[in-house]
Amino acid sequence: RIKKVLGRRIWDSRGWPTVEVEIHLENGVMGRGLAPAGASCGMHEAVELRDGGTTLAGKDVQKALLNIENEIAPALAGIDIHDQQLIDNILIELDGTGTFSRLGGNAAVACSMAAINTAANNAGLPLWKYLAGDQKVALPLPQIQIFGGGAHAGRRIDIQDLMVIANGARSFQQALEMTAEVYHSAGRIMKQRGHLSGVADEGGWWPEFSSNEQALDTLVKAIEGAGYIPGQDVSIALDIASSEFGKNGRYRLALESTEYDSDGMCELLLGWLDKYPIVSIEDPLAEDDEQGLIAFTQAAGSRVQIVGDDYFVTNAQRVKEAAEKGACNAVLLKANQAGTISELRNAFSEAKKAGYGAIVSARSGETEDHIIVHLALGLNAGQLKVGSMARAERTAKWNEAIRLEDTYGLAFFGVNALNHK
Ligand code: PGA
Ligand code: ZN
């Protein structure tokens, strides 16, 4: 049973404050939860509570910490740590807004993550095993960023994530090795051009390009430069994050000369699908452009994975409704979009029911925590998105997956985890 819930302020990978929670049980067992933070957030996400004012650009989290101390801790005292659904329901009901705008989504997700970690610790199991139970699970196929962009790179280019998927990899370890070769090949190309300017928020190379297509061309060259055949050994995955520049059916891209309507945006992307070895594309149209998402899925859903991130915001009801309408064919899962682990699990269940793919994902603002690796593995989600090969908040996740593969001799999903239909 829960004895104490303690919150504290820690720092995320962009140097901003975030919330850490410790749950202590009566028997002395303890577990932590660390809230990540997005930059390109969906409008229906759980609301992060920030203090406002001038200190730390208004991003401090003292109010969220006070809510943990004054409201959440007393409400969770004495609760059975193994009843995650009850714990998450208490958080949801105590908040009362449906969006965590009162207590803070950052407070809630840190508590919910702390609870599941504490439960696993109390059971004496690694989290993935606690979640998997008797179910046979496999390591997820990673999507790994090579170039950053969009809101993670000062809008230097429009596309937010230029990632690769190592089609040919037979193990997690091999997928990472192949991707590292591509990552360093890309770095060499940028250096030769005199365009090597550090990395973006998720560790991908800074996108010193004059067009979106130049970024795509360079990624193909980087795959070739690493000795791989594009599309056969290594493919491309994109996160367009188009809610960042698209609203009310108008798309204003920084590096494209014309402003597009929804059809024009679809055509631009379909052109890229024809020209480049792309196997997965996230948020191709904006979160408020459902008709566009449906049209794009009809046009391309049989040949590529179409992932909804801002559009689904890890919400089971939104996934269910979209599946009935035929929008997207895969769901990005981020615990802090939903606010609790139970809601993430519900969104995953709806994705599975709909025959959609599922990708457990990090945020652009991360911590050293590696819970998402255990969630992806324990739920048997199939895919994992963390960011790039550089920066320790990213390698914390990759290295944990490698450790689990090595320790438990786990199977690897491989490219079959991708969904096209
Ligand atoms: P975010 O980016 O964490 O800034 O939202 C990640 C994503 O869009 O997938
Ligand atoms: Zn996204």
Side-chain angles (χ1 to χ4, degrees), residues 9-266:
R9 182 180 71 178
I10 59 164
W11 301 89
D12 76 12
S13 57
R14 280 191 280 245
W16 295 116
T18 191
V19 176
E20 172 171 285
V21 166
E22 277 180 18
I23 292 185
H24 294 256
L25 303 182
E26 284 159 358
N27 63 8
V29 170
M30 188 271 281
R32 292 200 178 95
L34 290 74
S40 64
C41 297
M43 61 182 166
H44 301 288
E45 285 192 24
V47 178
E48 251 176 18
L49 193 60
R50 300 280 181 182
D51 293 351
T54 50
T55 307
L56 292 165
K59 291 178 189 279
D60 208 355
V61 292
Q62 302 301 337
K63 288 180 184 167
L65 294 177
L66 279 175
N67 289 340
I68 293 167
E69 189 183 334
N70 297 333
E71 298 199 47
I72 296 176
L76 292 183
I79 301 293
D80 175 8
I81 194 64
H82 295 291
D83 197 343
Q84 184 75 27
Q85 186 70 64
L86 174 63
I87 290 167
D88 290 340
N89 284 345
I90 289 172
L91 292 170
I92 292 165
E93 278 160 31
L94 188 64
D95 174 75
T97 65
T99 57
F100 282 116
S101 58
R102 202 179 71 76
L103 294 177
N106 40 0
V109 79
C111 289
S112 186
M113 286 172 162
I116 197 88
N117 277 324
T118 308
N121 291 347
N122 195 44
L125 294 170
L127 178 59
W128 72 270
K129 220 167 184 175
Y130 179 70
L131 291 168
D134 294 334
Q135 189 195 2
K136 216 170 143 49
V137 295
L139 282 156
L141 175 74
Q143 301 192 353
I144 307 182
Q145 192 190 65
I146 306 298
F147 294 106
H152 304 160
R155 291 290 306 274
R156 184 67 191 71
I157 59 170
D158 298 292
I159 304 171
Q160 181 184 282
D161 296 304
L162 288 108
M163 299 171 286
V164 296
I165 287 179
N167 295 14
R170 298 280 164 264
S171 67
F172 199 90
Q173 181 74 263
Q174 194 188 2
L176 267 284
E177 180 179 321
M178 291 171 75
T179 307
E181 296 279 17
V182 176
Y183 182 71
H184 294 295
S185 165
R188 280 193 296 274
I189 293 171
M190 298 307 269
K191 193 170 178 195
Q192 278 160 13
R193 291 181 188 166
H195 287 166
L196 196 65
S197 313
V199 298
D201 282 6
E202 296 190 357
W205 300 113
W206 188 263
E208 204 62 52
F209 299 114
S210 52
S211 70
N212 292 304
E213 294 217 2
Q214 191 190 24
L216 287 160
D217 288 331
T218 307
L219 184 51
V220 171
K221 285 204 178 70
I223 294 169
E224 288 166 348
Y228 297 120
I229 302 171
Q232 187 178 311
D233 304 321
V234 178
S235 298
I236 295 177
L238 301 178
D239 182 359
I240 307 296
S242 60
S243 308
E244 288 294 304
F245 53 79
K247 248 182 194 60
N248 302 320
R250 306 302 300 174
Y251 292 85
R252 294 183 188 86
L253 291 83
L255 294 188
E256 305 292 330
S257 48
T258 44
E259 181 185 312
Y260 294 100
D261 62 8
S262 184
D263 289 346
M265 187 67 203
C266 275

Side-chain angles (χ1 to χ4, degrees), residues 41-47 98-99 287-288 310-315 318 336-338:
C41 297
M43 61 182 166
H44 301 288
E45 285 192 24
V47 178
T99 57
E287 59 196 337
D288 67 356
D310 292 348
Y311 174 56
F312 289 131
V313 291
T314 314
N315 179 297
R318 293 179 68 87
N336 79 327
Q337 279 183 329

Side-chain angles (χ1 to χ4, degrees), residues 301-419:
S302 60
R303 49 188 174 123
V304 292
Q305 174 170 270
I306 302 171
V307 185
D309 170 15
D310 292 348
Y311 174 56
F312 289 131
V313 291
T314 314
N315 179 297
Q317 187 60 27
R318 293 179 68 87
V319 174
K320 188 167 184 254
E321 286 167 15
E324 283 158 12
K325 295 172 193 156
C328 304
N329 58 27
V331 181
L332 206 74
L333 299 169
K334 295 166 164 169
N336 79 327
Q337 279 183 329
T340 64
I341 296 290
S342 298
E343 290 165 282
L344 178 142
R345 294 187 77 163
N346 293 344
F348 175 57
S349 302
E350 283 302 333
K352 265 182 54 176
K353 257 189 239 164
Y356 278 27
I359 303 134
V360 175
S361 172
R363 299 307 305 245
S364 50
E366 266 294 329
T367 69
E368 66 278 20
D369 190 27
H370 50 51
I371 190 172
I372 55 169
V373 176
H374 286 259
L375 290 175
L377 175 59
L379 300 178
N380 212 30
Q383 297 176 70
L384 178 64
K385 180 187 175 196
V386 168
S388 195
M389 299 291 303
R391 299 181 51 139
E393 80 279 5
R394 311 294 148 185
T395 54
K397 281 73 161 171
W398 304 134
N399 293 343
E400 177 69 359
I402 286 167
R403 232 170 260 135
L404 295 177
E405 181 169 64
D406 195 42
T407 306
Y408 299 99
L410 295 159
F412 175 59
F413 255 101
V415 80
N416 294 331
L418 287 171
N419 192 36

Side-chain angles (χ1 to χ4, degrees), residues 216 235-238 269 272-273 276-281 303-304:
L216 287 160
S235 298
I236 295 177
L238 301 178
L269 297 176
W272 290 352
L273 295 187
Y276 302 101
I278 297 166
V279 291
S280 180
I281 186 162
R303 49 188 174 123
V304 292

